[in-house]
Amino acid sequence: MHTNTHLNPVIIASENGRGGAIAAMELLRRGGSAIDAAELAARVTEDDPAEHSVGFSGLPNLLGEVELDASLMNGRSLETGAVAGVQNYANVISLARAVMDQLPHVLLVGQGAERLAAELGQQPADQRTLESLDRWRARFAEQGMDLSSMELRHLVTRLTMPLHLEDRVPHGTVNYLVRDTHGDLASAVSTSGLAWKYPGRVGDSPIIGAGNYCDNRYGAAACTGSGELAIRVSTARSLVLYMKMGMRLAEAGRECLAEIEQLKPRTGQYMNIVAMTPDGQHSGFSTVPNKHYLYFTGEMAEPALGERVTSG
Ligand code: GLY
């Protein structure tokens, strides 16, 4: 049961989360719940055609198909829902919400998730745009390759694992960590995943514990970047667990960065983390320099950017 507390609402996001944060803050100021605000925020980013790492207009896999992943988590109940590898449906964050609210499961993939979307009355819709397809083709052209150049298992390494840092492949994703006026926390993560990925590849975003974790008692964390790294060391849950075990936020974040560095990321691989404590303190972390995250609290007129602590 909620007490009548009226806390300052807080939204922490990856740098691309501005539009969703503004919509979600409006909802929180009207007394909306953290979980509704987190879902709404991710939907706004998913619908943005200028954002090529999330939802509609996300960059396709090797075969030119957009495969979307998403998850959300309710910090009060530890309930969660996630979907992965969804093609031809918009707003996969709401599909993840339906998994959480309506199924006795936590994660649906591919055709099963698409079937649920159809059951819920969603109309299939191509998530590609002319611009995202142009960018997809351009990478093949700049590498002097096409789909017949070699088998996909070799092609994926050539196109997604650059030899030079400047050639870094887009790994975007959007993160939202939300605290509502009652002090409840929720988190939402949505992505089109690693561009030019092998078909069926799933990153950290829909893997609870890797790319997303939230617990009212200890805090919340979510990741963007090379999902394989966060999966290998369970980054989001680790950060929250470190805080449970008594580390301060800054210490917990640095420990997670150190764990990722120990994996010896390949050229172009990197990891960003956003994190929040139950009392609304926040921070961002990154394995690479000059990265930012977004924060927006109830007394602010608009979102602001904070510098991420870096291990580099
Ligand atoms: N962080 C998103 C992904 O690797 O799919």
Side-chain angles (χ1 to χ4, degrees):
M1 203 163 62
H2 282 128
T3 59
N4 282 331
T5 46
H6 188 89
L7 296 169
N8 200 15
V10 182
I11 299 172
I12 310 304
S14 45
E15 194 173 350
N16 55 351
R18 183 180 165 86
I22 290 170
M25 184 56 79
E26 249 181 72
L27 184 67
L28 293 172
R29 284 179 172 141
R30 294 199 308 269
S33 69
I35 193 73
D36 286 346
E39 179 187 354
L40 172 66
R43 283 183 69 98
V44 168
T45 312
E46 286 173 343
D47 288 340
D48 180 358
E51 172 53 67
H52 292 297
S53 70
V54 180
F56 179 66
S57 191
L59 286 170
N61 68 15
L62 271 179
L63 297 178
E65 304 157 335
V66 178
E67 292 180 304
L68 301 176
D69 304 335
S71 68
L72 42 65
M73 186 158 187
N74 184 335
R76 193 142 91 100
S77 59
L78 304 189
E79 289 171 305
T80 180
V83 292
V86 178
Q87 292 190 33
N88 297 314
Y89 283 96
N91 297 126
V92 284
I93 197 71
S94 295
L95 206 47
R97 177 83 187 257
V99 172
M100 180 172 88
D101 288 348
Q102 301 188 37
L103 297 185
H105 307 311
V106 296
L107 171 61
L108 284 189
V109 302
Q111 289 179 354
E114 291 153 15
R115 182 187 182 106
L116 177 65
E119 257 187 47
L120 294 169
Q122 273 198 47
Q123 295 303 314
D126 193 344
Q127 298 299 295
R128 297 172 300 186
T129 60
L130 290 177
E131 195 191 342
S132 66
L133 280 173
D134 279 350
R135 289 183 61 173
W136 174 76
R137 280 190 209 97
R139 179 131 188 101
F140 284 93
E142 80 195 16
Q143 300 290 321
M145 292 176 176
D146 59 36
L147 274 172
S148 63
S149 304
M150 56 185 82
E151 287 181 303
L152 294 193
R153 69 182 194 281
H154 302 304
L155 202 51
V156 72
T157 307
R158 292 290 291 269
L159 295 186
T160 68
M161 294 290 147
L163 296 175
H164 309 289
L165 257 189
E166 316 73 66
D167 193 27
R168 187 175 276 151
V169 173
H171 284 83
T173 291
V174 75
N175 295 158
Y176 289 103
L177 309 179
V178 177
R179 184 183 76 164
D180 65 26
T181 56
H182 304 290
D184 283 329
L185 306 186
S187 55
V189 179
S190 187
T191 190
S192 48
L194 176 64
W196 302 279
K197 62 192 171 186
Y198 198 99
R201 177 266 189 190
V202 174
D204 59 324
S205 305
I207 308 296
I208 292 301
N212 186 359
Y213 201 76
C214 181
D215 183 327
N216 268 12
R217 297 165 298 175
Y218 310 113
C223 304
T224 58
S226 312
E228 283 74 9
L229 299 174
I231 291 173
R232 289 167 66 193
V233 286
S234 305
T235 297
R237 165 69 166 149
S238 295
L239 197 152
V240 174
L241 186 60
Y242 293 144
M243 294 200 290
K244 174 180 177 179
M245 302 310 283
M247 281 190 192
R248 298 168 70 90
L249 172 59
E251 210 183 343
R254 282 185 192 280
E255 184 62 29
C256 288
L257 291 183
E259 288 175 341
I260 288 162
E261 294 297 355
Q262 280 164 12
L263 301 176
K264 303 201 181 319
R266 298 172 66 145
T267 305
Q269 283 192 310
Y270 65 99
M271 184 49 53
N272 302 317
I273 314 165
V274 288
M276 179 165 68
T277 63
D279 63 359
Q281 293 173 55
H282 51 85
S283 192
F285 305 90
S286 181
T287 58
V288 290
N290 305 320
K291 291 279 186 178
H292 296 84
Y293 72 102
L294 182 141
Y295 62 96
F296 192 15
T297 64
E299 76 277 357
M300 293 167 64
E302 55 178 77
L305 293 181
E307 211 167 305
R308 291 179 190 257
V309 173
T310 181
S311 58

